[in-house]
């Protein structure tokens, strides 16, 4: 008899396996595509994207709606700049210009979806998973 835990693990493994196979297929195509005569890099990328959107739309949607971790600004975090490990836990954001505190993770939002009623720490974004990704996962998002 299969337990609920085992069944959930099996389903999760199947979902992950499908995503990995789709990602491998898109990567294989990108690495093995042959440029057409006088085709620009932009045109090659458009062909790769068209194929990926057609053959693996869920993969593209997940990529576009990727999760983004939100951290408190270092200037507002209250950490002691002279404390041990301060330099390891405080760094510039990937976008640049903002210095963040890695000790204070506020949450995770969708890097794409915009809203006007998000969490107080990022009111312009949906919390992860956003409605688009939740729909792919078969999860109901309540607001």
């Amino acid at each position: 008899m299969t337990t609920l835990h085992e069944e959930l693990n099996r389903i999760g493994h199947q979902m992950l396996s499908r995503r990995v196979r789709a990602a491998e297929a898109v990567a294989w195509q990108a690495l093995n595509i042959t440029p057409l005569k006088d085709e620009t890099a932009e045109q090659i990328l458009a062909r790769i994207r068209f194929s990926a959107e057609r053959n693996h739309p869920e993969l593209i949607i997940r990529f576009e709606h990727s999760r983004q971790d939100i951290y408190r600004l270092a200037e507002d975090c209250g950490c002691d700049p002279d404390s041990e490990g301060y330099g390891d836990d405080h760094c510039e954001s990937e976008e640049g210009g903002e210095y963040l505190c890695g000790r204070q993770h506020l949450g995770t939002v969708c890097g794409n979806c915009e809203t006007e009623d998000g969490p107080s720490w990022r009111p312009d974004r949906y919390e992860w998973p956003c409605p688009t990704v939740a729909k792919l996962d078969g999860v109901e998002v309540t607001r």
Side-chain angles (χ1 to χ4, degrees):
M1 177 178 230
T2 304
T3 66
L4 179 60
H5 180 72
E6 291 169 336
E7 185 64 13
L8 290 173
N9 278 339
R10 183 188 66 75
I11 292 168
H13 179 72
Q14 285 176 343
M15 289 172 62
L16 181 60
S17 293
R18 279 193 302 263
R19 289 182 200 158
V20 167
R21 283 192 299 275
E24 287 173 341
V26 171
W28 185 91
Q29 181 203 16
L31 293 171
N32 292 292
I33 195 165
T34 303
L36 303 173
K37 184 175 169 68
D38 299 325
E39 186 176 36
T40 66
E42 189 175 288
Q43 291 168 327
I44 293 171
L45 289 174
R47 272 200 303 141
I48 292 170
R49 182 168 179 101
F50 175 77
S51 176
E53 287 174 342
R54 190 170 141 214
N55 297 313
H56 306 287
E58 180 180 309
L59 184 68
I60 299 298
I61 290 170
R62 286 183 188 284
F63 179 74
E64 290 174 344
H65 292 264
S66 59
R67 56 188 291 158
Q68 180 182 27
D69 290 316
I70 304 296
Y71 295 91
R72 186 172 306 283
L73 292 174
E75 62 193 44
D76 299 330
C77 71
C79 295
D80 180 7
D82 298 323
S83 67
E84 186 176 330
Y86 181 87
D88 295 333
D89 294 333
H90 295 77
C91 62
E92 194 171 340
S93 70
E94 289 178 8
E95 291 83 34
E98 295 178 322
Y99 208 60
L100 304 176
C101 175
R103 296 177 184 173
Q104 296 186 33
H105 182 256
L106 299 175
T108 307
V109 296
C110 176
N112 187 48
C113 292
E114 295 182 4
T115 183
E116 294 179 6
D117 61 349
S120 61
W121 39 266
R122 192 66 200 257
D124 61 329
R125 298 285 182 202
Y126 279 102
E127 286 189 75
W128 184 259
C130 66
T132 303
V133 172
K135 185 176 179 182
L136 288 175
D137 292 340
V139 177
E140 187 173 326
V141 176
T142 57
R143 286 269 171 239

